[in-house]
Amino acid sequence: MAFDIEMIKKVYASMPARIEAARKLVNKPLTLTEKILYSHLWDGNATTAFERGKSYVDFAPDRVAMQDATAQMALLQFMQAGRPKVAVPSTVHCDHLITAQVGSAQDLNVAEVTNKEVYDFLSSVSNKYGLGFWKPGAGIIHQVVLENYAFPGGMMIGTDSHTVNAGGLGMIAIGVGGADACDVMAGLPWELKFPKLIGVKLTGKLSGWTAPKDVILKVAGILTVKGGTGCIVEYFGEGVTSMSCTGKGTIANMGAEIGATTSTFGYDESMERYLRSTDRAEVADLANGIKQHLTADPEVYANPELYFDQVIEINLDELEPHLNGPFTPDLATPISKMKEEAAKHGWPTKIEVGLIGSCTNSSYEDISRAASLAKQVADKDLKTKAEFTITPGSEQVRYTIERDGFLETFDKIGAKVFANACGPCIGMWARVGAEKAEKNTIVHSFNRNFAKRADGNPNTFAFVGSPELVTALAIAGDLTFNPTTDFLTNEKGEKVKLDAPSGDELPVKGFAVEDAGYQAPAADGSGVEVAVSPTSDRLQILAPFAAWEGTNLTGLKLLIKAKGKCTTDHISMAGPWLKFRGHLDNISNNMLIGAVNFFNDKTDNVKNQLTGEYGPVPATQRAYKAAGIGSIVVGDENYGEGSSREHAAMEPRHLGVRVVLVKSFARIHETNLKKQGMLGVTFANPADYDKIQEDDTVDVLGLTEFAPSKQLTIVFNHKDGSKDEILVNHTYNEQQIEWFKAGGALNIIRKQVAN
């Protein structure tokens, strides 16, 4: 069934004229990215040619998607906006709160009991305000969106950084914080700085052991975790058109790991096949009617260097399978080089667990190709040396792969099937023995591999690869095994070689499912009650943040000077903390507990300037708040990398942090800070980071003349009576300055509705 078909018809009806208006205005051929952006302007047809990387633009996204962990805070904010119903099609997906431990059925049953209060809240809010609700077990948000809602040429936002997955079906799909989602659901424009464009030309064709995942692993190695910041990546070339739609989804999905705003692909036959296979023939027919508008103008791909800010070319005929990691998704190693790299760095080579699935790699094609390798275990008298797990992306995929015998094949090699949920990919994995913090190696087909990410063990070396490579490595149990060249010794003592994986792009018998897990909203939700207990430790009605005092900020204490990588996992951990995602005060007890303190190289251990004692970061900040003293957080490069979780911005705001000063920000986190009324600034001279001392008291000057592009001054008053005065930059525009003054964007929305 095609959801929201009337909305899609409306988008396609206006698209040709809007694209033509934009083409005349910019006076050049357009990339696909530009076509989609210019056809989704809030004010209709383009009247301004926007400057990439500089112009702030108001857009009108077609839809909003939220997962259960982030939806709680997003919908608690939306409830304050005073709107009776969401203004655009919106959905909630229950995928983050299910712990992988025993197996799918039992883990799901435990989650439904443990999280009943949260699920009931999300179900009732969805019913009241007109959102589609996908129940626990229905699947991972991004796979469900790809199967049901994504459409070529559309624009959506989602409260998860991997919303970008829908780019595999030709969308501009962007991860945001809950406040951004609240704006769009409330019927307001959504603001984005017009992105720069990176073109990736794929020549040749994937074959053998190489998979779509290897494309993005290679790109991550080229661009690093921040090389795509402020950019949209557009893929094109013969290598793209020969690739499956879900393969494109994998590449788009993990584009979040290079900091890209999103990634996208032009509409082609693989997308049409996928739409028809997922019961959306009507969408395919509509797309076919305007297909020339759903890809770049021909001149763009003929001479990409004239139309993109950066062009990368990858020959798929020469591309090797890659493993990225450990501890960062951009450390790319071709499998042929892994043996020497592992020896050079002392990485543990015995693989303990191989995990496939997740929102990145859980398509029918992924599972079928992995199953072709699992089948060889029995056929070649082999024995799987590592534990092996599968996390299906949706109930539709799970039901279909069970029907087609793949789960039985995996069962024969001792695999464990987890629930259709995020599970180990986001730290919701009750891994036996992880608390011992032993040094070990795992391989997985997920997207992120930060320290502690999967199992909470800082000594788990996690490597990212394709499902095919992960399966082969789990069979071998050896990180240095190269399936393209190496042999294994079977149970008979014979040398055998794994055949290259094979599988079907789409199920020959079509997809099937008994209960997809969808709950449609009530036709009239006005009578639906949304109850939040005042004594709940899981949910808490939000109180508005205080407006800016109208003065400079003086007497701030340095809370922490974070050293090195500080992702949103470091600022607001997931795993067991997910249960507090709807309770701001409780989850604030994890604020910055993963960040490394520059002054002692410890985590969750900072100096309380009021007592001189060292203690946990949240407790220290609560002491400052109780004393009526604000504070400042200092960070390194790409601060806030990773997940879109706005809790990483809301927790400091709630506990009284006033300023975040870093060398550079990741895009989503910087926006989240602005939305919550925080002051996020960057060093004009990054070397000034070294001037900050542990006992500093800090003044921020120039706020009374706060204006776009105008630098602010920060004074670090040292304990010995000396001081350092530095300049800092910011990217606030007029509207964002108003958010700061009002104490947050939501306070402005509330006023607008009241008026």
Side-chain angles (χ1 to χ4, degrees):
M1 160 181 129
F3 287 91
D4 309 311
I5 194 67
E6 294 306 315
M7 177 269 285
I8 297 172
K9 287 179 179 177
K10 186 177 178 183
V11 171
Y12 283 176
S14 64
M15 208 166 185
R18 290 189 169 196
I19 289 171
E20 183 56 31
R23 190 183 289 113
K24 286 181 179 178
L25 191 69
V26 303
N27 195 31
K28 67 177 182 61
L30 298 177
T31 63
L32 169 65
T33 301
E34 290 169 316
K35 288 182 178 183
I36 299 175
L37 292 176
Y38 275 109
S39 62
H40 283 83
L41 298 177
W42 178 259
D43 291 327
N45 284 0
T47 57
T48 302
F50 299 112
E51 190 173 354
R52 296 177 189 174
K54 292 191 176 180
S55 301
Y56 280 97
V57 184
D58 284 342
F59 291 101
D62 301 313
R63 65 177 314 107
V64 173
M66 296 165 283
Q67 38 92 336
D68 49 357
T70 53
Q72 295 171 64
M73 199 59 72
L75 291 171
L76 285 165
Q77 291 178 86
F78 179 77
M79 287 168 63
Q80 291 190 50
R83 304 278 185 177
K85 191 173 182 179
V86 291
V88 301
S90 304
T91 52
V92 171
H93 304 258
C94 295
D95 62 359
H96 270 55
L97 302 179
I98 303 169
T99 301
Q101 184 169 18
V102 179
S104 57
Q106 188 168 336
D107 292 347
L108 182 58
N109 288 338
V110 169
E112 287 175 333
V113 173
T114 305
N115 303 313
K116 185 178 187 303
E117 179 185 13
V118 172
Y119 293 149
D120 287 349
F121 167 73
L122 293 173
S123 174
S124 61
V125 170
S126 298
N127 239 345
K128 183 173 184 64
Y129 295 108
L131 295 89
F133 180 73
W134 291 82
K135 303 173 188 175
I140 306 173
I141 175 173
H142 314 303
Q143 180 67 26
V144 173
V145 166
L146 197 72
E147 292 175 2
N148 295 277
Y149 298 112
F151 66 97
M155 183 184 206
M156 68 173 285
I157 60 170
T159 59
D160 189 287
S161 57
H162 293 104
T163 298
V164 294
N165 188 81
L169 200 37
M171 291 195 87
I172 292 293
I174 300 174
V176 299
D180 278 347
C182 181
D183 282 358
V184 175
M185 290 189 293
L188 299 175
W190 175 65
E191 183 187 74
L192 177 73
K193 185 182 286 185
F194 205 84
K196 293 186 175 182
L197 303 183
I198 298 175
V200 179
K201 182 179 182 179
L202 302 181
T203 61
K205 187 177 181 180
L206 294 171
S207 62
W209 283 93
T210 311
K213 184 66 161 277
D214 296 306
V215 175
I216 186 58
L217 295 177
K218 174 75 171 177
V219 170
I222 295 169
L223 289 176
T224 78
V225 291
K226 63 177 185 177
T229 303
C231 302
I232 290 181
V233 184
E234 186 172 321
Y235 290 83
F236 61 95
E238 61 179 339
V240 166
T241 54
S242 64
M243 194 184 294
S244 68
C245 176
T246 51
K248 295 178 178 72
T250 291
I251 294 170
N253 179 294
M254 202 173 156
E257 272 48 76
I258 59 171
T261 302
T262 192
S263 305
T264 195
F265 297 78
Y267 179 64
D268 61 16
E269 292 178 1
S270 73
M271 295 183 189
E272 179 181 355
R273 291 193 297 272
Y274 187 72
L275 286 168
R276 295 190 188 283
S277 182
T278 51
D279 200 21
R280 290 177 286 172
E282 190 172 0
V283 178
D285 291 340
L286 289 169
N288 285 344
I290 63 161
K291 60 184 177 182
Q292 72 272 27
H293 300 296
L294 301 176
T295 189
D297 290 335
E299 299 92 332
V300 171
Y301 295 159
N303 295 286
E305 64 282 351
L306 300 178
Y307 303 98
F308 292 99
D309 298 289
Q310 181 180 355
V311 178
I312 296 169
E313 185 168 334
I314 298 173
N315 184 344
L316 301 186
D317 292 333
E318 300 172 354
L319 183 65
E320 267 194 77
H322 276 61
L323 271 182
N324 284 27
F327 306 126
T328 184
D330 60 348
L331 182 55
T333 304
I335 193 62
S336 65
K337 302 290 185 186
M338 181 51 75
K339 190 169 187 176
E340 66 179 82
E341 288 299 310
K344 184 195 304 181
H345 298 289
W347 298 334
T349 57
K350 181 179 182 290
I351 295 172
E352 303 293 339
V353 192
L355 308 98
I356 68 168
S358 83
C359 70
T360 320
N361 275 112
S362 57
S363 68
Y364 184 88
E365 181 181 42
D366 290 331
I367 302 299
S368 68
R369 283 171 62 85
S372 76
L373 295 168
K375 187 174 183 297
Q376 295 179 50
V377 173
D379 293 347
K380 297 179 186 289
D381 293 308
L382 291 163
K383 185 176 181 181
T384 306
K385 299 291 178 62
E387 290 182 46
F388 191 66
T389 72
I390 300 105
T391 305
S394 71
E395 175 58 16
Q396 178 167 268
V397 166
R398 190 213 62 80
Y399 188 93
T400 305
I401 63 174
E402 181 178 42
R403 179 202 67 189
D404 292 351
F406 299 150
L407 291 187
E408 183 181 358
T409 298
F410 289 126
D411 184 61
K412 287 178 180 177
I413 68 167
K416 183 181 289 186
V417 180
F418 289 136
N420 313 321
C422 299
C425 184
I426 60 161
M428 294 297 281
W429 182 20
R431 186 183 179 191
V432 176
E435 72 283 354
K436 298 176 184 176
E438 294 175 336
K439 192 174 181 180
N440 75 104
T441 285
I442 65 174
V443 291
H444 61 59
S445 68
F446 308 157
N447 40 47
R448 292 195 176 128
N449 57 351
F450 305 140
K452 301 185 182 182
R453 171 87 180 179
D455 61 3
N457 178 1
N459 297 313
T460 291
F461 288 62
F463 294 84
V464 182
S466 69
E468 299 94 319
L469 186 60
V470 168
T471 305
L473 291 173
I475 293 169
D478 183 354
L479 187 68
T480 68
F481 174 67
N482 181 355
T484 69
T485 58
D486 296 351
F487 288 78
L488 296 169
T489 303
N490 69 9
E491 295 297 285
K492 296 178 181 178
E494 301 166 335
K495 294 286 187 182
V496 296
K497 194 167 184 289
L498 292 173
D499 300 325
S502 62
D504 293 318
E505 173 187 330
L506 297 163
V508 174
K509 300 183 209 171
F511 285 106
V513 67
E514 286 185 347
D515 178 8
Y518 175 69
Q519 171 189 294
D524 179 4
S526 58
V528 176
E529 289 292 324
V530 179
V532 176
S533 168
T535 60
S536 172
D537 67 352
R538 298 287 302 267
L539 297 165
Q540 180 186 47
I541 296 296
L542 292 173
F545 290 131
W548 172 56
E549 306 90 328
T551 62
N552 291 324
L553 301 178
T554 58
L556 306 179
K557 297 298 184 184
L558 175 68
L559 176 62
I560 187 171
K561 180 179 176 179
K563 179 182 177 181
K565 186 184 282 282
C566 193
T567 71
T568 48
D569 279 55
H570 295 84
I571 305 168
S572 176
M573 288 184 177
W577 289 95
L578 284 175
K579 64 186 176 186
F580 297 127
R581 282 288 182 87
H583 197 294
L584 182 55
D585 193 57
N586 282 346
I587 199 169
S588 293
N589 288 321
N590 79 359
M591 184 191 75
L592 284 159
I593 63 175
V596 176
N597 182 0
F598 177 90
F599 298 106
N600 59 15
D601 282 327
K602 294 180 180 180
T603 58
D604 201 23
N605 188 269
V606 295
K607 188 174 184 179
N608 181 334
Q609 293 191 45
L610 302 180
T611 65
E613 298 176 352
Y614 286 83
V617 183
T620 303
Q621 181 54 38
R622 286 185 186 276
Y624 292 151
K625 183 178 181 179
I629 298 170
S631 67
I632 180 172
V633 168
V634 174
D636 215 315
E637 296 282 4
N638 208 32
Y639 183 87
E641 168 194 342
S643 168
S644 69
R645 65 192 68 155
E646 66 181 338
H647 298 75
M650 295 186 78
E651 292 171 31
R653 181 75 168 100
H654 172 66
L655 292 185
V657 176
R658 301 301 301 271
V659 184
V660 178
L661 167 63
V662 299
K663 293 180 182 177
S664 64
F665 282 109
R667 177 191 63 84
I668 299 176
H669 186 63
E670 182 179 25
T671 300
N672 287 344
L673 290 170
K674 292 177 179 180
K675 283 281 184 177
Q676 300 303 332
M678 290 279 283
L679 184 63
V681 291
T682 57
F683 291 98
N685 177 7
D688 287 340
Y689 172 91
D690 298 325
K691 296 177 179 177
I692 298 166
Q693 300 175 21
E694 188 171 32
D695 293 297
D696 282 352
T697 299
V698 184
D699 302 326
V700 182
L701 310 179
L703 282 176
T704 51
E705 296 85 36
F706 195 11
S709 303
K710 187 176 182 180
Q711 291 179 313
L712 299 172
T713 298
I714 295 187
V715 181
F716 294 95
N717 301 289
H718 307 310
K719 191 176 183 181
D720 64 4
S722 65
K723 63 177 63 176
D724 277 299
E725 188 172 300
I726 69 170
L727 292 174
V728 297
N729 300 328
H730 68 84
T731 61
Y732 288 73
N733 61 23
E734 293 284 4
Q735 177 176 258
Q736 294 164 351
I737 290 172
E738 292 306 310
W739 298 344
F740 170 77
K741 291 178 177 179
L746 188 58
N747 290 344
I748 293 177
I749 295 175
R750 195 181 297 106
K751 287 179 183 177
Q752 289 173 336
V753 173
N755 294 334

